[in-house]
Amino acid sequence: MSIKEIKTYKIVTFGCQMNARDSEKLAGILEDKGFSEVADEDTADIVIFNTCTVRENANQKLYGHIGQLKKSYLENKNKIIGICGCMMQEKDEVEKIVEKYPQVKLIFGTHNIDEFGDLIDEVIYTNKKVIKVYDEAENIEKTLPTKRVFDFKCGINIMFGCNNFCTYCIVPYVRGRERSRDVDSIVSEIKKVVAEGVIEIMLLGQNVNSYSGKAGDSYKFNDNNKVTFPELLNEVAKIDGLKRIRFMTSHPKDLSDELIEVIKKNSNICRHIHLPVQSGSDEILKAMNRHYDRSAYLKVIDKIRNNIEDVGITTDIIVGFPGETEKDFEDTLSLINQVSYDAVFTFEYSKRTGTKAAEMENQVPENVVKERFKRLLKVVEDNSGRNVEKYVGRTMDVLVEGEDKVSGKLTGRLSNNYLVHFNGDKELIGRIIDVKLTKSCKFYFEGEIVSKWK
Ligand code: SAH
Ligand code: SF4
Ligand code: F3S
């Protein structure tokens, strides 16, 4: 195969925001080599699947895609199919792929995406299969080129890995131990993207509240030179030209009063907190190793609501964790009713090999999980839209993000993460404008532009 025959690429992302940010780095590396992105997996010379393994259905998605590519691979034997991401940190999955899918030429993991440029060169120039996955991270980061999906917003990693070992979760095994980046390097990366036109960033970590980075030379906060998440956020909020700051995810056990204060004080920090509760039952929360109980969680919710005006609070729920009784499940339903979330993301428990919960004997039968999941969706549906009426009639800041394919209207986002649809010119995409919210449609609003300039 010669480099001349390789011109285009397509990266398919299956996972979370961190996975998506990694894909932007992979794209940056390929762009630097002169390849250009195409929309279609079938026609691309290089296809990279950036996988997720948090739930079984994330894995299945990958196999569906590889299967679909078989025809285009047979027509173009020069096609390079590569797989990376969290699923590749699992030895069994790598073995399965090597055995069943000879068309896959490149496999690497979450700890060596910085080597991607060399690995892809090796495949191109030697035409050999390249498999390189490390069990642990060797270095915390290297500055990699990126190609952003959006010109006006992007994610910024502030930490990697997770130390929490929630008993259902595979992430600590596939992303390794928690590593925080230094404040200096985070701030300089943000300044760079802002200079390139980004106005909204999302600070990314599995548990941003346990951020503990070194201050670096330019930032001295206290004697031991360690910086907390609220301190970092406060620093980031000072960056000129940065209009909006989001962060994801907050673990309820570590959400501090200081964080609430910092949000309150800085209007450019978005009024949105994603605070996954997972279950409303104390027994289940304990078995999940979440380190909070229902009442502690509700206290945090109250504090947030009492201090941050117009805040949007969203959550994740797992239904059917091992040992979950009907009573435990009803506790989850009652918590949802009590908190009145702005959005709830619901998941059926998925058994992940290697986690503690996978070994638990009291797994809930699938039919029970399915039946509970339906009831959960009904409660979530009945609750949706409970908080929105108070916003109707108000004019609020909206970051215009794109066009709604169905209605052709523009879509934008409020600081509290609600979506708004309104008529307007595509030129406005990427700007923050004033929109009057004219109607609530439960989880989004319809609106009218009031002013195009802010
Ligand atoms: N670090 C984040 C979550 C990362 S995974 C946090 O602690 O909140 C995103 C969500 O996937 C989790 O909040 C959880 O609801 C869900 N999830 C994780 N493992 C799961 C599993 N084994 N089965 C079902 N859902 C799971
Ligand atoms: Fe998984 Fe828990 Fe870590 Fe989130 S905090 S990534 S749910 S182990
Ligand atoms: Fe999935 Fe890995 Fe994110 S397992 S949720 S892509 S950290």
Side-chain angles (χ1 to χ4, degrees), residues 162 164-166 168-169 171-172 206 251 278 290:
C162 182
N164 290 299
F165 289 95
C166 302
Y168 50 82
C169 185
V171 172
Q206 292 297 351
H251 194 304
Q278 316 296 359
R290 290 291 287 179

Side-chain angles (χ1 to χ4, degrees), residues 16 18 53-56 161-162 164 166-171 205-208 248-252 274-278 288 290 292 315-319 321 345-352 355 357:
C16 61
M18 264 162 277
T53 186
V54 78
R55 287 170 292 273
E56 182 60 33
C162 182
N164 290 299
C166 302
T167 52
Y168 50 82
C169 185
I170 192 91
V171 172
Q206 292 297 351
N207 173 9
V208 290
M248 183 94 103
T249 299
S250 287
H251 194 304
H274 183 59
L275 203 61
V277 67
Q278 316 296 359
M288 286 177 162
R290 290 291 287 179
Y292 55 85
T315 204
D316 293 343
I317 301 278
I318 297 177
V319 58
F321 182 84
F345 300 90
T346 51
F347 306 107
E348 288 178 17
Y349 167 71
S350 174
K351 195 172 174 178
R352 308 316 288 136
T355 62

Side-chain angles (χ1 to χ4, degrees), residues 305-322:
R305 285 245 164 84
N306 293 337
N307 282 286
I308 309 171
E309 219 183 324
D310 293 339
V311 67
I313 302 179
T314 56
T315 204
D316 293 343
I317 301 278
I318 297 177
V319 58
F321 182 84

Side-chain angles (χ1 to χ4, degrees), residues 376-416:
L376 173 69
L377 287 185
K378 172 88 174 61
V379 169
V380 170
E381 164 70 23
D382 290 348
N383 267 286
S384 79
R386 256 171 71 176
N387 304 340
V388 292
E389 283 308 323
K390 68 171 179 182
Y391 296 111
V392 175
R394 282 169 62 182
T395 296
M396 297 180 86
D397 284 2
V398 168
L399 170 57
V400 189
E401 295 193 334
E403 257 184 323
D404 180 49
K405 287 201 180 81
V406 184
S407 64
K409 288 187 175 186
L410 292 178
T411 64
R413 214 174 273 275
L414 301 176
S415 163
N416 63 13

Side-chain angles (χ1 to χ4, degrees), residues 49-77:
F49 294 112
N50 192 4
T51 60
C52 171
T53 186
V54 78
R55 287 170 292 273
E56 182 60 33
N57 53 8
N59 295 39
Q60 279 158 1
K61 267 195 221 161
L62 171 74
Y63 290 116
H65 277 258
I66 309 181
Q68 274 170 15
L69 274 193
K70 196 161 182 185
K71 190 165 163 274
S72 67
Y73 171 75
L74 290 174
E75 283 163 7
N76 172 12
K77 284 276 169 79

Side-chain angles (χ1 to χ4, degrees), residues 61-326:
K61 267 195 221 161
L62 171 74
Y63 290 116
H65 277 258
I66 309 181
Q68 274 170 15
L69 274 193
K70 196 161 182 185
K71 190 165 163 274
S72 67
Y73 171 75
L74 290 174
E75 283 163 7
N76 172 12
K77 284 276 169 79
N78 285 333
K79 194 177 185 91
I80 298 174
I81 301 175
I83 313 182
C84 63
C86 294
M87 202 175 146
M88 296 305 99
Q89 294 298 135
E90 295 176 288
K91 288 199 173 69
D92 291 356
E93 296 292 349
V94 172
E95 276 169 22
K96 186 169 153 189
I97 288 165
V98 171
E99 195 184 307
K100 283 198 171 165
Y101 301 99
Q103 66 268 42
V104 174
K105 302 237 180 79
L106 170 62
I107 293 180
F108 58 104
T110 56
H111 300 311
N112 58 336
I113 71 162
D114 54 322
E115 293 181 340
F116 174 56
D118 295 338
L119 299 175
I120 194 85
D121 281 350
E122 202 177 325
V123 178
I124 294 171
Y125 292 111
T126 67
N127 202 14
K128 285 200 183 118
K129 201 187 272 282
V130 175
I131 300 174
K132 204 164 179 194
V133 180
Y134 300 123
D135 289 339
E136 279 169 43
E138 290 195 333
N139 50 352
I140 161 145
E141 62 176 300
K142 276 199 190 126
T143 308
L144 296 174
T146 55
K147 180 178 185 260
R148 291 189 305 274
V149 174
F150 296 96
D151 295 334
F152 55 90
K153 66 169 184 176
C154 71
I156 300 283
N157 300 104
I158 61 165
M159 57 203 293
F160 303 94
C162 182
N163 287 354
N164 290 299
F165 289 95
C166 302
T167 52
Y168 50 82
C169 185
I170 192 91
V171 172
Y173 303 93
V174 294
R175 287 274 172 177
R177 292 297 63 70
E178 221 171 79
R179 285 113 42 217
S180 294
R181 289 176 68 190
D182 293 354
V183 178
D184 267 348
S185 74
I186 296 170
V187 169
S188 59
E189 184 181 352
I190 299 173
K191 284 185 174 159
K192 182 171 169 279
V193 296
V194 169
E196 289 164 4
V198 165
I199 57 171
E200 177 181 290
I201 55 147
M202 183 180 272
L203 303 175
L204 299 173
Q206 292 297 351
N207 173 9
V208 290
N209 295 319
S210 70
Y211 173 84
S212 166
K214 282 209 285 300
D217 294 336
S218 336
Y219 300 93
K220 293 268 179 265
F221 295 95
N222 49 36
D223 293 343
N224 67 14
N225 204 25
K226 279 282 177 191
V227 179
T228 65
F229 181 59
E231 286 167 340
L232 172 72
L233 199 55
N234 203 40
E235 247 358 84
V236 170
K238 291 179 193 158
I239 295 174
D240 257 357
L242 183 58
K243 305 263 173 57
R244 281 186 169 187
I245 303 149
R246 298 186 182 277
F247 53 88
M248 183 94 103
T249 299
S250 287
H251 194 304
K253 77 179 165 68
D254 298 315
L255 194 139
S256 63
D257 294 353
E258 291 79 45
L259 177 65
I260 295 175
E261 277 312 304
V262 169
I263 298 174
K264 214 166 132 177
K265 195 175 97 189
N266 291 286
S267 60
N268 55 354
I269 301 176
C270 288
R271 272 42 195 158
H272 172 220
I273 299 186
H274 183 59
L275 203 61
V277 67
Q278 316 296 359
S279 168
S281 149
D282 284 348
E283 280 72 39
I284 296 296
L285 287 170
K286 195 148 190 255
M288 286 177 162
N289 194 32
R290 290 291 287 179
H291 293 282
Y292 55 85
D293 59 15
R294 181 186 174 108
S295 100
Y297 182 85
L298 288 171
K299 272 193 198 128
V300 176
I301 294 282
D302 275 349
K303 251 192 234 166
I304 296 171
R305 285 245 164 84
N306 293 337
N307 282 286
I308 309 171
E309 219 183 324
D310 293 339
V311 67
I313 302 179
T314 56
T315 204
D316 293 343
I317 301 278
I318 297 177
V319 58
F321 182 84
E324 185 189 74
T325 60
E326 176 60 24

